[in-house]
Amino acid sequence: AFHDEKDAILDIGLSVSTHINVDDTTARHEGQNGYCTHIGNEFFATFHSTDSKSRINFLKLLQAGRTDYIINASALSYMISQGMISQGLPQDSLTLVTSKLLTVCEDDIAWDEFVKLLGIEKPLHIKIITEGALVGSLIEHGFNTDMVIVSDDAGQFNVLIHALCWIHAERFINKLIGLTDKQKEAVKSIRSDIWDLYASLKNFKEQPDDQKKADIEAKFDKIFTQKTCFASLNNALKRIYRNKPELLRVLDFPHIPLHNNTSENDIRDYVKRRKVSGSTRNDLGRRCRDTFTSLKKTCRKLNVSFWDYLEDRLSGLNEIPYLSDLIINKALNLSV
């Protein structure tokens, strides 16, 4: 029953949300390296331990229990865009997949057979079409196409509409150590400009305005295209500038956070527990760790005592509503 309630949290949480915060951390299992992915926001928190932290794995987690792969317009659109980025999906492979439009594979086994029948063998090409089919499944099952995924710039989360954490971006500047007074002053000046820009973004979130949007974009360009006396600083500025669309995503979606602190805070308790107890030794133990951490963190977000929740469920009283119902209520109250 606890596992079922945890699984429902993700499904309902995604259905009522306009953005999610995501992060991952290491989670050894049976003596082998593994990973735990956090997905959540102000409504819920879920933890998912797996052997991989690839983009395919992340897309499967977003399916919230579904296992199918679907070739539809959304899948093809993803394959085309990713093919252009990686320069890896040739036209003949795309044509083969297009000829199978509206194909539905119910699970991994059926999908593997489908790929073999297509005759596509290169791992990169298989990766692109697999990700595309998973995106197709998400959209087909009603995944919010305006959902913004906020992360710390880990590559596996860069999918659909992606936004980046400003705190992590600024760390590229903060960790620089100038060797001369001029270099130190340059770092200090840039950091001051960045936090002024950050304040402007916070103000924009409160009162969105087209003129403010234009001013912020111009200020961003001015800060991150300038040349300083510090080569390492210039390289950091260039790196941040390349992420302009993701860092300024809030200009199109003012409701999203400017940072990934939600995931950082939620996953901290998981990390502390891992340090104390070590790795899990069987699949049930790993599943229980994910389930009860998810339930505990979600209870906290919903102002429900976790201890009272456990007593209520174990006693069979069930006077506390299902957490998924409380998530729906909180989302409705915030939207009023």
Side-chain angles (χ1 to χ4, degrees), residues 241-254:
Y241 185 72
R242 288 196 295 268
N243 291 329
K244 177 182 177 180
E246 289 90 349
L247 286 169
L248 295 185
R249 193 72 70 193
V250 69
L251 298 181
D252 295 318
F253 301 91

Side-chain angles (χ1 to χ4, degrees), residues 162-175:
H162 185 229
L164 287 179
C165 170
W166 271 92
I167 306 299
H168 282 81
E170 194 271 343
R171 287 179 184 173
F172 291 118
I173 309 296
N174 187 30
K175 69 181 182 180

Side-chain angles (χ1 to χ4, degrees), residues 65-326:
R66 290 180 290 273
T67 60
D68 57 357
Y69 299 75
I70 300 178
I71 304 297
N72 54 19
S74 299
L76 293 178
S77 177
Y78 178 90
M79 294 176 200
I80 292 171
S81 64
Q82 291 302 112
M84 292 173 62
I85 292 172
S86 63
Q87 298 179 351
L89 190 62
Q91 184 62 44
D92 58 348
S93 294
L94 185 60
T95 301
L96 281 173
V97 178
T98 303
S99 68
K100 302 297 182 179
L101 190 63
L102 303 184
T103 295
V104 177
C105 297
E106 295 297 330
D107 53 30
D108 291 342
I109 296 176
W111 176 252
D112 290 341
E113 289 297 323
F114 173 74
V115 173
K116 288 179 181 178
L117 289 175
L118 285 178
I120 297 176
E121 298 179 348
K122 290 189 176 181
L124 176 60
H125 301 168
I126 294 174
K127 174 178 178 291
I128 293 174
I129 66 172
T130 300
E131 292 172 359
L134 289 171
V135 169
S137 173
L138 287 174
I139 304 304
E140 184 71 21
H141 290 293
F143 189 85
N144 182 3
T145 54
D146 289 328
M147 177 81 73
V148 180
I149 299 172
V150 183
S151 82
D152 60 1
D153 202 18
Q156 69 271 24
F157 301 130
N158 187 4
V159 65
L160 303 173
I161 304 176
H162 185 229
L164 287 179
C165 170
W166 271 92
I167 306 299
H168 282 81
E170 194 271 343
R171 287 179 184 173
F172 291 118
I173 309 296
N174 187 30
K175 69 181 182 180
L176 294 176
I177 301 176
L179 301 179
T180 67
D181 290 340
K182 286 187 177 181
Q183 289 180 348
K184 293 176 182 178
E185 184 59 35
V187 172
K188 181 179 178 181
S189 176
I190 292 294
R191 292 194 66 211
S192 177
D193 290 342
I194 290 175
W195 291 119
D196 285 344
L197 176 61
Y198 187 82
S200 298
L201 289 169
K202 291 174 65 176
N203 179 265
F204 177 86
K205 280 172 56 65
E206 297 295 327
Q207 296 179 317
D209 176 84
D210 288 341
Q211 184 58 52
K212 290 180 181 178
K213 179 178 179 179
D215 292 342
I216 288 173
E217 289 178 334
K219 187 182 295 185
F220 185 97
D221 291 342
K222 182 179 179 181
I223 293 173
F224 295 105
T225 59
Q226 63 182 291
K227 302 293 184 181
T228 71
C229 61
F230 193 3
S232 296
L233 177 57
N234 294 337
N235 291 333
L237 292 173
K238 288 180 182 178
R239 177 170 181 172
I240 296 174
Y241 185 72
R242 288 196 295 268
N243 291 329
K244 177 182 177 180
E246 289 90 349
L247 286 169
L248 295 185
R249 193 72 70 193
V250 69
L251 298 181
D252 295 318
F253 301 91
H255 61 276
I256 68 173
L258 293 169
H259 51 71
N260 202 34
N261 287 355
T262 297
S263 277
E264 294 283 333
N265 293 333
D266 284 350
I267 214 166
R268 185 173 294 121
D269 187 63
Y270 188 98
V271 173
K272 289 189 294 186
R273 186 172 298 278
R274 180 192 68 208
K275 289 181 177 179
V276 172
S277 62
S279 61
T280 48
R281 292 298 178 181
N282 58 62
D283 291 341
L284 178 59
R286 179 165 70 169
R287 189 182 182 196
C288 286
R289 181 177 62 180
D290 288 348
T291 290
F292 286 99
T293 306
S294 300
L295 294 173
K296 174 186 174 183
K297 287 294 183 181
T298 300
C299 279
R300 183 170 298 174
K301 292 172 184 285
L302 299 172
N303 295 320
V304 174
S305 165
F306 185 52
W307 182 256
D308 291 345
Y309 165 83
L310 290 176
E311 285 190 323
D312 178 77
R313 295 296 189 265
L314 292 172
S315 67
L317 293 175
N318 293 322
E319 294 177 346
I320 296 177
Y322 282 105
L323 299 183
S324 55
D325 292 335
L326 293 177

Side-chain angles (χ1 to χ4, degrees), residues 28-47:
R28 284 177 64 80
H29 178 62
E30 294 183 334
Q32 302 296 320
N33 290 332
Y35 307 92
C36 179
T37 301
H38 166 271
I39 302 174
N41 53 28
E42 67 271 31
F43 301 141
F44 71 101
T46 56
F47 296 82

